[in-house]
Amino acid sequence: MENRKNETQPPKQRDWKKYFKILAIANGIVLLLLLLLIFLPAFSPAPEPPEEAQFDSSDSSEFTISSTKANVNELINAYIDKELNDDSDNYSVVLGDDAVELSGGITAFGVRIPLQITLEPQVQENGDLLLVQRDISLGSLSLPNDKVLKYIDRYYKLPEWVTINPDDESIYVAVTQMELQNNFHVEVEQFDLPNDNLSFKLYIPNDTFGL
């Protein structure tokens, strides 16, 4: 009797069940391979901390530049767009109400999983910026934060002066090591997002003015 029931089952219903099983298996394989990609970077060597830039300000003139989150955010993403050169795993940075938000995605086998990282900015004594991880979300997956950061460090195209520290769950932005035209030198002075108060020290060599 059971065989007769199967024989009388509509073809569309049998095809639906078959495709559902195939889709479930495919999703399981993609998830497994994604997890492997996330955890493989754990065997890569830890990144070296950036060396503190040696800068002599005696031959430069110092200026203080005040700005807003909107202006700095536009500058950051213009730089990212230029450096990525239409990379498929592009990302964006948004200066939020009280934190820095990095949005992007992880692409594995044609499946793109949205990524969102919230970071708390801390100005360093030498003028660099330390971004301490506050929250990470990777789609609906629950993965260790350091594993996600290691994936980003391995597969995302980042400037040389940006170092990801997965063990400390932080990102070090060596602003003082940025290569600017005319040997300009910049340092972060204030990065107060809640009050929209961002200021930077800009050192311009005196020979730029013919001095």
Side-chain angles (χ1 to χ4, degrees):
M1 294 293 293
E2 184 178 354
N3 292 335
R4 291 182 180 179
K5 288 183 179 179
N6 291 335
E7 290 176 359
T8 58
Q9 192 176 30
K12 289 184 178 181
Q13 187 174 356
R14 291 199 300 269
D15 291 342
W16 180 85
K17 290 184 177 180
K18 180 178 67 175
Y19 293 143
F20 179 81
K21 291 180 180 179
I22 294 175
L23 180 61
I25 294 173
N27 287 336
I29 294 175
V30 169
L31 179 59
L32 176 61
L33 293 176
L34 176 61
L35 291 174
L36 289 176
L37 285 175
I38 292 291
F39 281 89
L40 280 177
F43 300 100
S44 60
E48 293 291 334
E51 297 181 0
E52 186 170 338
Q54 301 297 324
F55 175 72
D56 183 8
S57 61
S58 60
D59 295 330
S60 301
S61 298
E62 177 185 331
F63 298 86
T64 298
I65 301 175
S66 298
S67 187
T68 63
K69 291 183 290 187
N71 290 334
V72 175
N73 193 74
E74 184 177 352
L75 180 63
I76 291 173
N77 286 291
Y79 179 88
I80 292 175
D81 290 340
K82 179 180 178 182
E83 290 298 312
L84 284 178
N85 294 324
D86 297 327
D87 193 294
S88 58
D89 278 328
N90 61 322
Y91 56 92
S92 63
V93 175
V94 174
L95 304 184
D97 293 336
D98 62 350
V100 178
E101 299 174 358
L102 187 151
S103 301
I106 291 178
T107 301
F109 310 99
V111 178
R112 185 168 179 83
I113 301 176
L115 170 68
Q116 181 81 24
I117 304 179
T118 304
L119 304 146
E120 179 182 346
Q122 298 178 1
V123 178
Q124 305 300 289
E125 292 184 0
N126 67 340
D128 287 339
L129 197 63
L130 179 66
L131 303 177
V132 180
Q133 178 269 321
R134 182 188 297 175
D135 182 63
I136 289 181
S137 63
L138 180 61
S140 59
L141 300 177
S142 178
L143 298 173
N145 296 341
D146 61 326
K147 305 303 179 183
V148 179
L149 289 175
K150 285 180 180 179
Y151 183 97
I152 295 174
D153 185 41
R154 183 170 181 175
Y155 292 103
Y156 268 41
K157 185 177 181 180
L158 300 170
E160 295 181 356
W161 39 271
V162 174
T163 303
I164 294 183
N165 302 304
D167 294 336
D168 297 333
E169 297 185 2
S170 65
I171 300 177
Y172 191 90
V173 183
V175 177
T176 58
Q177 297 185 18
M178 293 176 58
E179 295 184 0
L180 304 177
Q181 293 183 353
N182 301 319
N183 294 322
F184 287 8
H185 179 82
V186 65
E187 298 178 1
V188 180
E189 187 175 46
Q190 290 185 327
F191 213 81
D192 185 0
L193 295 179
N195 296 312
D196 201 9
N197 183 15
L198 283 68
S199 62
F200 306 85
K201 290 182 180 179
L202 181 64
Y203 294 89
I204 302 178
N206 290 332
D207 57 12
T208 304
F209 305 101
L211 301 177

